[in-house]
Amino acid sequence: MGRRKKEPRSVHRENIASAASVLFIEKGIAAASMDDIAKAAGYSKATLYVYFKNKEEIVGILVLDSMKKLYGYISSALAQQKTTKARYDFICRGLIQYQEEFPFYFKMVLDKINIDFERHDYLPEEKETYHIGQEINKKIKHFLIDGMEKGDLRDDLEIMPVIFNFWGMLSGIIQLAANKEEYIKKSMGLSKKQFLEYGFSMLYYSIAAKER
């Protein structure tokens, strides 16, 4: 324990959060107790409470980390391409990559995006998560406006409803493909990749400008 005590507080918090993340994947958040997290991380329960007040704070850290990763995927997707369709395709690929690499984070982001600022007991991590989500939405907003100005997207799009539908439909398609991959293959004769490409294309052309 001597070496541990000399390590920065941030190292302990990261160690605990990392162990909790694995535990949450195995057991689910509700079923994992602080005792379980302490054992998985190799800390006493008393020491665990030195670094985290409760399980909700650990979840908040993990959700924030996942949102930062998602921001990185979206930013990279938009920076790599210039045309509207190519940027859209890269956003979709980035989301697929994110879900495949971090399936638990992907679901956590979808579940934990809402924050009620009328409450006074929300965690600092929750507020930061919310603001990162707002920054992601700004990037998607600029993507849509740019596409409309170029004439690639319909000029009658209502930005905020489109953004929320955009996330709901894309994330839903990706999660469905992950959950039902074998069923999709057997019932439709489509691979996961083919199913996703079909869904992404259908969504894009619902907002694309009609060719004249």
Side-chain angles (χ1 to χ4, degrees), residues 10-29:
S10 61
V11 172
H12 292 290
R13 284 171 62 87
E14 185 177 336
N15 289 342
I16 293 166
S18 178
S21 178
V22 174
L23 193 62
F24 291 157
I25 292 170
E26 293 174 351
K27 299 184 67 170
I29 293 174

CSV table of all heavy atoms in Angstrom, one decimal, residues 10-29:
chain,number,residue,atom,x,y,z
A,10,SER,N,-5.6,11.1,-9.1
A,10,SER,CA,-6.2,10.8,-10.4
A,10,SER,C,-5.9,9.4,-10.8
A,10,SER,O,-6.7,8.8,-11.5
A,10,SER,CB,-5.7,11.8,-11.4
A,10,SER,OG,-4.3,11.7,-11.5
A,11,VAL,N,-4.8,8.9,-10.4
A,11,VAL,CA,-4.4,7.5,-10.8
A,11,VAL,C,-5.3,6.5,-10.1
A,11,VAL,O,-5.8,5.5,-10.7
A,11,VAL,CB,-2.9,7.2,-10.4
A,11,VAL,CG1,-2.6,5.7,-10.6
A,11,VAL,CG2,-2.0,8.0,-11.3
A,12,HIS,N,-5.6,6.7,-8.8
A,12,HIS,CA,-6.5,5.9,-8.1
A,12,HIS,C,-7.9,5.9,-8.7
A,12,HIS,O,-8.6,4.9,-8.8
A,12,HIS,CB,-6.6,6.3,-6.6
A,12,HIS,CG,-5.3,6.1,-5.9
A,12,HIS,ND1,-4.8,4.8,-5.5
A,12,HIS,CD2,-4.4,7.0,-5.4
A,12,HIS,CE1,-3.7,5.0,-4.9
A,12,HIS,NE2,-3.4,6.2,-4.8
A,13,ARG,N,-8.4,7.1,-9.0
A,13,ARG,CA,-9.7,7.2,-9.6
A,13,ARG,C,-9.8,6.5,-10.9
A,13,ARG,O,-10.8,5.9,-11.2
A,13,ARG,CB,-10.1,8.7,-9.7
A,13,ARG,CG,-10.5,9.4,-8.4
A,13,ARG,CD,-10.6,10.9,-8.5
A,13,ARG,NE,-11.7,11.3,-9.4
A,13,ARG,CZ,-13.0,11.4,-9.1
A,13,ARG,NH1,-13.3,11.2,-7.8
A,13,ARG,NH2,-13.9,11.8,-10.0
A,14,GLU,N,-8.8,6.6,-11.7
A,14,GLU,CA,-8.7,6.0,-13.0
A,14,GLU,C,-8.7,4.5,-12.8
A,14,GLU,O,-9.4,3.7,-13.6
A,14,GLU,CB,-7.5,6.4,-13.8
A,14,GLU,CG,-7.5,5.9,-15.2
A,14,GLU,CD,-6.3,6.4,-16.0
A,14,GLU,OE1,-5.8,7.5,-15.7
A,14,GLU,OE2,-5.9,5.7,-17.0
A,15,ASN,N,-7.9,4.0,-11.9
A,15,ASN,CA,-7.9,2.5,-11.6
A,15,ASN,C,-9.3,2.0,-11.2
A,15,ASN,O,-9.7,0.9,-11.7
A,15,ASN,CB,-6.9,2.2,-10.5
A,15,ASN,CG,-5.4,2.4,-10.9
A,15,ASN,OD1,-5.1,2.5,-12.1
A,15,ASN,ND2,-4.5,2.6,-10.0
A,16,ILE,N,-9.9,2.7,-10.3
A,16,ILE,CA,-11.2,2.3,-9.8
A,16,ILE,C,-12.3,2.3,-10.9
A,16,ILE,O,-13.0,1.4,-11.1
A,16,ILE,CB,-11.7,3.2,-8.6
A,16,ILE,CG1,-10.7,2.9,-7.4
A,16,ILE,CG2,-13.1,2.9,-8.2
A,16,ILE,CD1,-10.9,4.0,-6.3
A,17,ALA,N,-12.3,3.4,-11.7
A,17,ALA,CA,-13.2,3.6,-12.8
A,17,ALA,C,-13.0,2.5,-13.8
A,17,ALA,O,-14.0,1.9,-14.4
A,17,ALA,CB,-13.1,4.9,-13.4
A,18,SER,N,-11.8,2.1,-14.1
A,18,SER,CA,-11.5,1.1,-15.1
A,18,SER,C,-12.0,-0.3,-14.6
A,18,SER,O,-12.6,-1.0,-15.4
A,18,SER,CB,-10.0,1.0,-15.3
A,18,SER,OG,-9.6,0.0,-16.3
A,19,ALA,N,-11.8,-0.6,-13.4
A,19,ALA,CA,-12.2,-1.8,-12.8
A,19,ALA,C,-13.8,-1.9,-12.8
A,19,ALA,O,-14.4,-2.9,-13.1
A,19,ALA,CB,-11.7,-2.0,-11.4
A,20,ALA,N,-14.4,-0.7,-12.5
A,20,ALA,CA,-15.8,-0.6,-12.4
A,20,ALA,C,-16.4,-0.8,-13.8
A,20,ALA,O,-17.5,-1.5,-14.0
A,20,ALA,CB,-16.3,0.7,-11.9
A,21,SER,N,-15.8,-0.3,-14.8
A,21,SER,CA,-16.3,-0.4,-16.2
A,21,SER,C,-16.4,-1.9,-16.6
A,21,SER,O,-17.4,-2.3,-17.2
A,21,SER,CB,-15.3,0.4,-17.1
A,21,SER,OG,-15.8,0.2,-18.5
A,22,VAL,N,-15.3,-2.6,-16.3
A,22,VAL,CA,-15.3,-4.1,-16.6
A,22,VAL,C,-16.4,-4.8,-15.9
A,22,VAL,O,-17.1,-5.6,-16.4
A,22,VAL,CB,-13.9,-4.7,-16.3
A,22,VAL,CG1,-14.0,-6.2,-16.5
A,22,VAL,CG2,-12.8,-4.1,-17.1
A,23,LEU,N,-16.6,-4.4,-14.6
A,23,LEU,CA,-17.6,-5.0,-13.7
A,23,LEU,C,-19.0,-4.7,-14.2
A,23,LEU,O,-19.9,-5.6,-14.3
A,23,LEU,CB,-17.4,-4.5,-12.3
A,23,LEU,CG,-18.2,-5.3,-11.2
A,23,LEU,CD1,-17.7,-6.7,-11.1
A,23,LEU,CD2,-18.0,-4.6,-9.9
A,24,PHE,N,-19.2,-3.5,-14.7
A,24,PHE,CA,-20.5,-3.1,-15.2
A,24,PHE,C,-20.9,-3.8,-16.4
A,24,PHE,O,-22.1,-4.2,-16.6
A,24,PHE,CB,-20.6,-1.6,-15.5
A,24,PHE,CG,-20.5,-0.7,-14.2
A,24,PHE,CD1,-20.0,0.6,-14.3
A,24,PHE,CD2,-20.8,-1.2,-13.0
A,24,PHE,CE1,-19.9,1.4,-13.2
A,24,PHE,CE2,-20.8,-0.4,-11.9
A,24,PHE,CZ,-20.3,0.9,-12.0
A,25,ILE,N,-19.9,-4.1,-17.3
A,25,ILE,CA,-20.1,-4.9,-18.5
A,25,ILE,C,-20.5,-6.3,-18.1
A,25,ILE,O,-21.4,-6.9,-18.7
A,25,ILE,CB,-18.9,-4.9,-19.4
A,25,ILE,CG1,-18.6,-3.5,-19.9
A,25,ILE,CG2,-19.0,-5.9,-20.5
A,25,ILE,CD1,-17.3,-3.3,-20.6
A,26,GLU,N,-19.9,-6.9,-17.1
A,26,GLU,CA,-20.2,-8.2,-16.7
A,26,GLU,C,-21.5,-8.4,-16.0
A,26,GLU,O,-22.2,-9.4,-16.2
A,26,GLU,CB,-19.0,-8.8,-15.8
A,26,GLU,CG,-17.7,-8.9,-16.6
A,26,GLU,CD,-16.5,-9.3,-15.6
A,26,GLU,OE1,-16.8,-9.2,-14.4
A,26,GLU,OE2,-15.5,-9.6,-16.1
A,27,LYS,N,-21.8,-7.5,-15.1
A,27,LYS,CA,-22.9,-7.6,-14.2
A,27,LYS,C,-24.0,-6.7,-14.4
A,27,LYS,O,-25.2,-6.9,-14.0
A,27,LYS,CB,-22.4,-7.5,-12.7
A,27,LYS,CG,-21.4,-8.5,-12.3
A,27,LYS,CD,-21.1,-8.4,-10.8
A,27,LYS,CE,-22.3,-8.7,-9.9
A,27,LYS,NZ,-21.9,-8.8,-8.5
A,28,GLY,N,-23.7,-5.5,-15.1
A,28,GLY,CA,-24.7,-4.5,-15.2
A,28,GLY,C,-24.5,-3.5,-14.1
A,28,GLY,O,-24.0,-3.9,-13.0
A,29,ILE,N,-24.9,-2.2,-14.3
A,29,ILE,CA,-24.7,-1.2,-13.3
A,29,ILE,C,-25.5,-1.5,-12.0
A,29,ILE,O,-24.9,-1.4,-10.9
A,29,ILE,CB,-25.0,0.2,-13.8
A,29,ILE,CG1,-24.1,0.6,-15.0
A,29,ILE,CG2,-25.0,1.3,-12.7
A,29,ILE,CD1,-24.4,1.8,-15.7
